[in-house]
Amino acid sequence: MKRNIFGLISTVIVFVIFSQSLFAQGKASFGGYVRDAKTEEPLIGATVIIEGTELGAVTNVDGYYEIKNIEPKSYTVSASFVGFEKASKFNVTVRSGGIPNVNFELSEDVEQLEGVTVRANPFKKNEETPLSIQKLSPEEIATYPGGNNDIAKVAQSLPGVSGSVGGFRNDIIIRGGAPNENVYYLDGIEIPNINHFSTQGSAGGPVGLLNVSFFEGVTLSSSAFASQYDNVLSGVLQFDQRDGNRREFRNNFRLSSSEAAITTEGPLFKKKDEEKSNTSFIASVRRSYLQLLFQAIDLPFLPDYWDYQYKLTHKFDDYNELVFTGVGSLDDLTINAPDDFDAEQQAVLDQIPVIKQWSTTSGLSWKRRFKDNSGFMTTALSTNILNNQFQQFEDNVNQEGLVFSNNSQEQEVKLRYNLTKFMEDWTFNTGFIVQEAIYSNNSELLDPNRGFNYDNSFNFTRYGVNAQASRNFVNDRLGLSAGFRVDGNTFTETGNEIYRTFSPRFSASYTFDEKRKWTVNASVGRYFKIPPYTILGFTDQNNNYANKDAEYIQSDHLVAGIEYLVTPSSRFSIEGFYKKYDNYPVSVVDSVSLANLGGGFSVLGNENIESVGLGRTYGMEFLYQRKLTKDFYAILAYTLYRSEFTGFDKDEYLRSTWDNRNLLTFTGGYKFGNNWEISARVRYLGKTPLAPVDQEATLQSYPNIIRDYSRQGDLLLDPFNQTDIRIDKKWNFDNWTFNVFFEVQNAFVQDLPSEPSFGLRRNDDGEVQQPRELVRVTDVSNSSLLPNLGIVIDF
């Protein structure tokens, strides 16, 4: 079946290449809205041009423009309006099959300079988060090399962001913090999980579940979080979904070596004589082929998944908008016994869990702009569920001899309100969140030294309030922002003592020169996160919640940096950062900070802990970024850092699992004529410190692998170094576009690091030898070259 898929793709490619001379390249068009960045009011009469051409348009009474009869390729598009800074969008790829709206938000030009055209900084930040904020455009996401349309992998190209050991999983590790220290938002609706087969209590997994066709942009903040974001210690990742097309129906179909996806969008309830509808939708569904590939190459496990995503938008009038959005997944990880015995595959077969998991997030939000343009408010009601069936057996093939079972469900129901008010030169933001947490777990671990067995369920209320004030001074050169939030809950012993979670934050930025090229930024803040439900729900032998005395994890950030705008499309920046942690959960059984865990497929936190751990991460970060100009774009980032955490001994800081010391990423591409593009990603991650396996304890608990965390950091894996290359080619026909991409992961066949593997001693037939003995499995080469061929059709 896999060969049939490749055969179909190859046939289509050959047909298009040899038949393109029979078709004239179709012309294209695109449109969008131009609004005031502060009030979101439509700007009537704004000018939008395609730079380097004579094509352009002027916005109508709705702030909408449309440019027609365009030759399909990539352009820089600019918008301008009297009294506002000119703004540009780079790498706008125009296709005859249609492209999403190209929207602009223009900021007022408060400083009129004689003879100088003031252009908005394309990397511009706001007063609340002036540091460590990175944005990716839809085109940068869609053509990311080695990402396979996976937004979590794309995020790993950003400064200070790394993945787990070997690059297999989609853990987002920011500046040495643990994978579960981040929060994710979809149009203001929080999503706990963005990956298939996610690690409960953490957030990573092997495959992302969000559809890149939905995004208008992605923003990562790795410091200076605005006060409306709760439960975050390291990073806020915001996914801004675009609205569905309000004028016509459009479709996108994607087929690659591992998956197939279809996205459709268009207007609803549109009358024949109407140019546009007030209601639009966009929806997608995706199906994996990984299980077929893994079966064909005889791997011991088969990951099978579906996911879906949707957004429905209705505009009541110019001031009120209702959005209903959601995302979900169905995951099934099954066992596949290889035909022939292999020691390494047998070890994987012994230790891999059987996972059946599903997740869903849905939310309804109402946004109201005040008619006097003095601000806006957003009210959102949402719910999210993670259902996780996780089992391990002594005999995984026949599912006999239960070793560990975790059958749990996490659910949250959230009401979030946010008010933004403009008062002269001040911007005030305030809001609150109330959420009901519902958790149940039937969990059993059969282990002579660390076993447990419980069945419980509980629910409790979490709540928080926030406020922030921001203002620009000195003709917009000096930006200041100060805010705070407090959070509480009705479950933990000190949860209602909200003074314990008082989290102030302050940020400042100053632009030195009149052309606004040099800017210095700084921020300081305190942030809190409640421990995962897997920790709070753990029950001891007396059926008591063992961790009701758990404290909120605390993280204090101090960040300062300088940015220089080299050209209107490129910049470099240098930042220094320091994060200090308090109250980190420490495992009572293993005496290790849970900051070191969460990068595997097991359940994080299903154990007794004490909130006594300390931690610190600190370092320097360099970034050079160039938007697409003269057919070339690039991001070069280097982070030098340390990450250390304590166990019960607060005086002994040990290297954390994420303390790679050196992180280097390069992502860039070049666009040739005739819609050809080549791009590459290079990642280097320094040595990974781990705790060695306690072989005696592991033999008693096998297939559970037990580590000696008193020696955390003694085992150092070799550096991770991988290069991915991607080639894209587009053909534009009348009203549809055909795109073929070919990418190669690990193009230079570099040997990727992997953890030492252990299994039971067996004979050549795979039978366990007596007496039982744990042996190191001979390492095999981990230097495979992974090709991926795919097509994308827009119509």
Side-chain angles (χ1 to χ4, degrees), residues 777-795:
V777 176
T778 303
D779 293 333
V780 299
S781 175
N782 193 23
S783 59
S784 299
L785 182 148
L786 298 176
N788 182 27
L789 178 66
I791 62 173
V792 181
I793 303 175
D794 293 282
F795 58 100

Side-chain angles (χ1 to χ4, degrees), residues 14-161:
V14 171
F15 169 76
V16 173
I17 291 175
F18 285 98
S19 62
Q20 62 178 319
S21 59
L22 302 177
F23 299 89
Q25 177 161 291
K27 293 295 184 178
S29 65
F30 70 87
Y33 293 87
V34 182
R35 297 185 177 94
D36 186 318
K38 185 175 182 179
T39 66
E40 299 186 7
E41 181 183 14
L43 297 181
I44 305 170
T47 301
V48 181
I49 63 169
I50 300 177
E51 295 194 0
T53 75
E54 296 180 355
L55 299 174
V58 176
T59 57
N60 62 17
V61 293
D62 297 319
Y64 183 79
Y65 72 92
E66 185 175 16
I67 305 176
K68 300 180 179 180
N69 201 31
I70 311 168
E71 179 187 352
K73 62 178 185 177
S74 297
Y75 297 95
T76 297
V77 183
S78 298
S80 59
F81 190 69
V82 176
F84 287 76
E85 296 178 352
K86 182 180 178 180
S88 298
K89 289 187 178 291
F90 301 87
N91 199 10
V92 177
T93 300
V94 180
R95 303 183 296 266
S96 60
I99 68 170
N101 284 343
V102 181
N103 301 318
F104 291 88
E105 293 183 342
L106 304 186
S107 300
E108 283 190 78
D109 181 8
V110 298
E111 185 177 17
Q112 301 291 336
L113 302 176
E114 183 178 352
V116 176
T117 300
V118 179
R119 181 188 292 263
N121 185 343
F123 313 102
K124 189 173 183 179
K125 309 171 180 63
N126 54 44
E127 295 84 9
E128 295 174 335
T129 55
L131 288 127
S132 313
I133 185 167
Q134 315 296 335
K135 296 184 178 182
L136 294 172
S137 70
E139 190 66 20
E140 289 171 323
I141 297 167
T143 60
Y144 181 76
N148 194 23
N149 299 293
D150 191 331
I151 188 60
K153 283 186 170 61
V154 175
Q156 292 177 8
S157 70
L158 296 174
V161 181

Side-chain angles (χ1 to χ4, degrees), residues 249-423:
F249 289 93
R250 307 298 304 181
N251 303 282
N252 172 276
F253 173 72
R254 186 173 72 245
L255 176 66
S256 71
S257 306
S258 60
E259 64 183 26
I262 180 73
T263 303
T264 184
E265 62 179 299
L268 294 176
F269 317 118
K270 179 185 174 185
K271 298 178 182 178
K272 291 184 178 180
D273 58 345
E274 288 182 332
E275 181 183 355
K276 66 181 186 303
S277 173
N278 288 329
T279 308
S280 67
F281 80 95
I282 180 170
S284 74
V285 64
R286 181 171 60 159
R287 178 74 167 98
S288 79
Y289 291 131
L290 275 177
Q291 71 278 14
L292 304 179
L293 175 62
F294 282 28
Q295 190 170 36
I297 59 179
D298 210 24
L299 289 182
F301 56 95
L302 306 176
D304 185 3
Y305 62 83
W306 289 82
D307 59 51
Y308 60 87
Q309 196 168 336
Y310 58 87
K311 180 179 181 181
L312 181 71
T313 306
H314 177 71
K315 292 181 68 70
F316 292 99
D317 52 38
D318 291 338
Y319 301 97
N320 292 275
E321 181 180 76
L322 195 67
V323 173
F324 180 54
T325 188
V327 62
S329 66
L330 296 170
D331 305 332
D332 188 3
L333 184 67
T334 56
I335 301 301
N336 177 46
D339 294 333
D340 300 316
F341 170 73
D342 176 90
E344 184 189 38
Q345 288 198 348
Q346 183 63 48
V348 174
L349 192 64
D350 289 343
Q351 299 161 29
I352 195 76
V354 178
I355 301 175
K356 291 185 182 297
Q357 189 178 100
W358 61 267
S359 66
T360 181
T361 299
S362 59
L364 183 68
S365 65
W366 168 42
K367 186 170 186 177
R368 179 188 174 192
R369 288 196 308 114
F370 303 141
K371 292 184 178 181
D372 60 359
N373 289 324
S374 64
F376 56 89
M377 68 175 196
T378 304
T379 306
L381 179 65
S382 65
T383 184
N384 55 265
I385 304 174
L386 171 65
N387 189 286
N388 186 33
Q389 287 186 310
F390 182 102
Q391 294 177 308
Q392 283 182 292
F393 300 89
E394 291 181 357
D395 181 356
N396 271 329
V397 176
N398 299 304
Q399 296 191 9
E400 295 176 350
L402 182 67
V403 174
F404 176 52
S405 174
N406 183 86
N407 188 355
S408 65
Q409 184 176 103
E410 299 179 7
Q411 181 176 5
E412 295 173 320
V413 181
K414 305 182 181 186
L415 175 64
R416 189 185 298 269
Y417 174 81
N418 194 68
L419 170 67
T420 299
K421 194 73 174 175
F422 309 124
M423 296 181 181

Side-chain angles (χ1 to χ4, degrees), residues 551-563:
E551 301 282 351
Y552 279 81
I553 307 169
Q554 176 182 316
S555 177
D556 296 336
H557 289 220
L558 176 61
V559 189
I562 191 166
E563 177 185 89

